[in-house]
Amino acid sequence: MLTVIGEALVDVVQRSGGVEAHVGGSPLNVAVGLARLDHAVQFVGRFGRDTYGDSVAAHLRASSVMVPLPPDDKPTSVATAVIDDDGAASYSFDLAWELPGLAGRLPFMLQGATLLHTGSIATMLEPGAAEVLAAVEHAHPSATISFDPNCRPSIITDRKYARAQTERFVVLADVVKASDEDLEWLYPGVDALESARRWLSLGGSEGPAVVVVTRGAVGPWGVTAAGEAQVAAPAVDVVDTVGAGDSFMAALLSGIVDRGLAGAQNRGDLRAMPAEVLARILEHAARAAAVTVSRAGANPPTRAELNHSAAGAAAAAEEDE
């Protein structure tokens, strides 16, 4: 069982041609992405008993994501995304983030979990962030921990706090993914890849095994103790970038799970992952992100769609030879 803990949102997307509403939230998108890649996954988050909350619940059910917590009486969180003519998104938020009583439910909800993923607003915004940290600490002895800071400077404006909070989760994580923009905001004036290399050293032998940096059209880069890898981003016509990083994260984790590397008992093997294996996982994740940016909203691919994309890329490569 894979577990994702974090915020659920409704993205209200404003374009020059009109307004649309899509269910989103970075952790929720990762949960949906993992489920569409045929993994059993549960989403631990909150949403309200309102129209938007009904949309969240229906979206999770449609992708067969398990939801152990019922809706509550607070409004469902909303993110407003303004899409410019180049397809890039900027955001504003109306949020409620807390999970009261979570600590008492953790032994049951995380029983048998081989991987726990979290990140974004859920790890920064109190009072929920403290509850998420406690969940990660509870799961760490038995599960692979993954983390994506997915920084939102418009919400968490205190860079010093955001940096300290991010590093609290990095030292507990086995797999960390961040965008170059995240790292450049957290550590101004420092090369993003150098910051990622430093993260790999945090916590010593108990710290991260894999740190990955997404770089948009440049393509992703990653580092393990065994070496570094980078791959090109697939060429694609961009509709918008909403959810691209979350689709990448889901496929990155899927690649790790598919190779039998999830679970605390496999930390040694994950840490020893050769650079060439990391490169193949990065290619897999980059294809998932490419599918997502080719269509509107946070709409990650199914395993069948991703396999079709990989087959098409292989055929195109053969034609070029």
Side-chain angles (χ1 to χ4, degrees):
M1 170 68 69
L2 311 184
T3 298
V4 178
I5 182 169
E7 72 272 8
L9 304 171
V10 171
D11 290 314
V12 178
V13 182
Q14 299 180 358
R15 309 171 188 272
S16 57
V19 178
E20 298 176 343
H22 303 276
V23 174
S26 178
L28 180 145
N29 293 339
V30 173
V32 169
L34 284 166
R36 291 187 183 181
L37 295 173
D38 297 337
H39 298 285
V41 58
Q42 63 176 344
F43 173 72
V44 180
R46 68 148 304 272
F47 48 90
R49 294 185 180 91
D50 52 25
T51 300
Y52 281 154
D54 292 344
S55 297
V56 170
H59 182 66
L60 290 166
R61 285 196 304 269
S63 291
S64 300
V65 177
M66 290 169 274
V67 183
L69 298 181
D72 57 39
D73 294 327
K74 294 180 180 293
T76 301
S77 297
V78 174
T80 300
V82 179
I83 310 297
D84 65 23
D85 291 338
D86 294 325
S90 59
Y91 295 87
S92 61
F93 299 87
D94 182 10
L95 303 170
W97 177 238
E98 59 181 302
L99 294 169
L102 178 64
R105 299 170 176 165
L106 287 175
F108 174 75
M109 283 197 297
L110 297 181
Q111 185 176 16
T114 57
L115 183 146
L116 185 149
H117 171 76
T118 191
S120 194
I121 299 164
T123 59
M124 294 287 169
L125 190 65
E126 297 294 358
E131 295 157 349
V132 175
L133 182 61
V136 169
E137 291 171 339
H138 181 94
H140 188 270
S142 58
T144 296
I145 306 298
S146 65
F147 171 62
D148 176 5
N150 200 0
C151 297
R152 301 298 188 190
S154 61
I155 300 172
I156 306 300
T157 58
D158 185 338
R159 195 192 318 261
K160 184 177 179 180
Y161 166 80
R163 184 186 304 130
Q165 192 73 353
T166 294
E167 291 182 1
R168 286 189 184 97
F169 283 90
V170 168
V171 298
L172 290 167
D174 301 291
V175 180
V176 181
K177 190 276 286 182
S179 70
D180 51 0
E181 292 179 349
D182 291 334
L183 290 162
E184 288 160 5
W185 184 75
L186 288 167
Y187 306 102
V190 181
D191 179 77
L193 303 191
E194 189 55 41
S195 295
R197 293 184 186 102
R198 189 181 72 82
W199 277 1
L200 191 73
S201 68
L202 291 182
S205 61
E206 297 299 317
V210 181
V211 179
V212 172
V213 180
T214 55
R215 302 176 294 170
V218 176
W221 171 96
V223 59
T224 71
E228 301 180 4
Q230 58 182 340
V231 301
V236 63
D237 293 329
V238 176
V239 173
D240 68 50
T241 61
V242 177
D246 304 326
S247 292
F248 181 98
M249 185 82 239
L252 173 70
L253 297 177
S254 179
I256 288 169
V257 172
D258 286 348
R259 286 167 173 78
L261 296 173
Q265 73 278 11
N266 294 310
R267 282 197 170 108
D269 290 340
L270 182 63
R271 188 173 298 278
M273 180 195 298
E276 56 269 25
V277 175
L278 176 59
R280 290 196 290 272
I281 294 175
L282 293 179
E283 288 173 347
H284 176 73
R287 283 195 299 271
V291 172
T292 300
V293 302
S294 72
R295 53 202 192 189
N299 187 5
T302 64
R303 186 175 287 263
E305 288 175 321
L306 197 48
N307 289 342
H308 179 75
S309 174
E318 288 180 3
E319 289 178 2
D320 291 340
E321 291 179 356

